[in-house]
């Protein structure tokens, strides 16, 4: 049988949903209410208790009637009747729940099943009581022990007595025949929904934490070829042009200070647009020195936009791509412009270069794939990375983010 929608009925409930200890008599409560294992455990517990109780009442009847056989018959009838009264409603609700209907339909059907069990319990009680009285009364009459009939009551007293009797029956049948189980069923549903919501929230938090950690690792790494090439350039310049070598080292130090995260206070995993623009500016300044001045650049954004939260390590990836695939392959001077603007409810950050332009294979590398993955983790389908040819020559890479999501991250 398929478990269908909802949670499994054959498995022990999670600790966050489970109510009750691990005692022998309450272990059935480890399973979902109105499941087959829950019903079997509850029935075994109730029938065991009822067997003891009806054994005593049967013995009492046998002593009162001075006939052990009548006592045994009365006790057995009570055992069967009370067991059915205790099990009918929950059994019907268990059948309903194992149909695995949609939740709203299942809830209504479970309530109706318990109510039907209560009505049937009333009929069983009347039949069993009549049978026991038919056994006991003749023997008591023969022994002269039949109590005298009560005096005829008035209409008001009859109505009051009937109402009191009905109320007592509702309480007895309701509690004994599945009313408490019905209450446990609804509270279990609520706890399961809360557990499922908390689990999904933990999974989402875990994915975001994983993405942040991956960003932290990326941000803590400087591409080996870039660092080695820069140091090799410095080594070559030490004797030929000490001033340029010193300028290159100063620019490298400024870039490393801007990019290496402060892992002790977790600041490397969270950043603002202004911080990311500063990292790009320090990187471009270093590349300008390394490339002998043939690179020019600009980094522009309003002061209000610079305070917005912005995922780390993404924008610098676009700038590195512009250098690697745009400016370096094309001889002569080159320019990179980084700008952030707000258009409607979207933040758009562009990296424009006038280099070699888009070539086959550009756009499918690991760097841009990581940018897309991080955007999807943080913003889903609401964020977008685009890579298009620029007017004339060069390329335009753009990240679009929803402003309300950024404002929510800052709250």
């Amino acid at each position: 049988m398929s478990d269908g929608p909802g949670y499994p009925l054959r498995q022990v409930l999670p600790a966050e949903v489970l109510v009750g200890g691990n005692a022998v008599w309450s272990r059935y409560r480890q399973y979902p209410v109105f499941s087959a294992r829950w019903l079997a455990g509850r029935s075994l517990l109730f029938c065991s208790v009822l067997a003891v109780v009806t054994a005593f009442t049967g013995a009492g009847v046998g002593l009162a009637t001075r006939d052990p056989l009548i006592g045994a018959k009365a006790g057995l009838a009570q055992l069967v009747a009370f067991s059915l009264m205790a099990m009918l409603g929950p059994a019907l609700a268990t059948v309903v729940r194992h149909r695995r209907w949609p939740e709203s339909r299942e809830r209504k059907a479970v309530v109706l099943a318990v109510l039907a069990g209560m009505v049937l319990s009333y009929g069983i009680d009347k039949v069993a009581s009549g049978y026991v009285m038919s056994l006991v009364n003749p023997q008591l009459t023969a022994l002269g022990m039949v109590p005298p009939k009560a005096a005829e009551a008035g209409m008001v007293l009859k109505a009051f007595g009937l109402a009191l009797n009905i109320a007592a029956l509702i309480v007895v049948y309701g509690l004994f025949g599945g009313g408490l189980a019905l209450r446990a069923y609804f509270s279990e549903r609520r706890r399961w929904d809360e557990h499922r919501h908390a689990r999904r929230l933990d999974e989402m938090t875990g994915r975001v934490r994983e993405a942040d950690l991956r960003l932290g690792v990326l941000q803590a790494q400087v591409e080996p070829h870039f660092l080695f090439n820069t140091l090799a350039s410095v080594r070559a310049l030490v004797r030929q042009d000490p001033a340029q070598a010193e300028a290159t080292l100063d620019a490298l130090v400024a870039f490393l200070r801007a990019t290496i995260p402060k892992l002790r206070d977790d600041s490397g995993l969270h950043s603002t647009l202004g911080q990311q623009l500063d990292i790009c500016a320090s990187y471009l300044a270093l590349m300008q020195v390394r490339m002998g001045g043939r690179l020019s650049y600009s980094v522009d954004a309003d002061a209000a936009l610079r305070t917005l939260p912005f995922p780390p390590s993404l924008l610098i990836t676009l700038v590195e791509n512009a250098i690697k695939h745009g400016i370096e392959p094309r001889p002569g001077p080159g320019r990179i412009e980084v700008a952030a603007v707000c258009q409607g409810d979207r933040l758009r950050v562009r990296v424009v270069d006038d280099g070699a332009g888009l070539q086959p294979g550009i756009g499918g590398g690991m760097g841009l794939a990581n940018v897309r993955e991080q955007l999807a983790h943080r913003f889903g389908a609401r964020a977008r990375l685009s890579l298009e040819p620029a007017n004339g020559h060069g390329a335009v890479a753009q990240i679009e983010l929803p402003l309300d999501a950024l404002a929510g991250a800052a709250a």
Side-chain angles (χ1 to χ4, degrees), residues 186-223:
F186 283 106
S187 65
E188 178 187 288
R189 276 283 186 182
R190 174 181 52 79
R191 292 193 305 275
W192 178 267
D193 290 339
E194 293 173 353
H195 166 68
R196 182 173 55 183
H197 176 72
R199 186 172 59 184
R200 288 179 178 174
L201 185 61
D202 289 342
E203 290 175 355
M204 293 177 61
T205 303
R207 287 198 296 268
V208 172
R209 188 183 298 113
E210 179 184 359
D212 283 342
L213 290 175
R214 291 179 62 185
L215 281 174
V217 172
L218 287 172
Q219 194 176 12
Q221 295 173 340
V222 177
E223 291 189 19

Side-chain angles (χ1 to χ4, degrees), residues 143-156:
L143 295 173
M145 299 174 61
V146 177
K149 291 184 178 180
E152 190 72 19
M155 293 296 294
V156 175

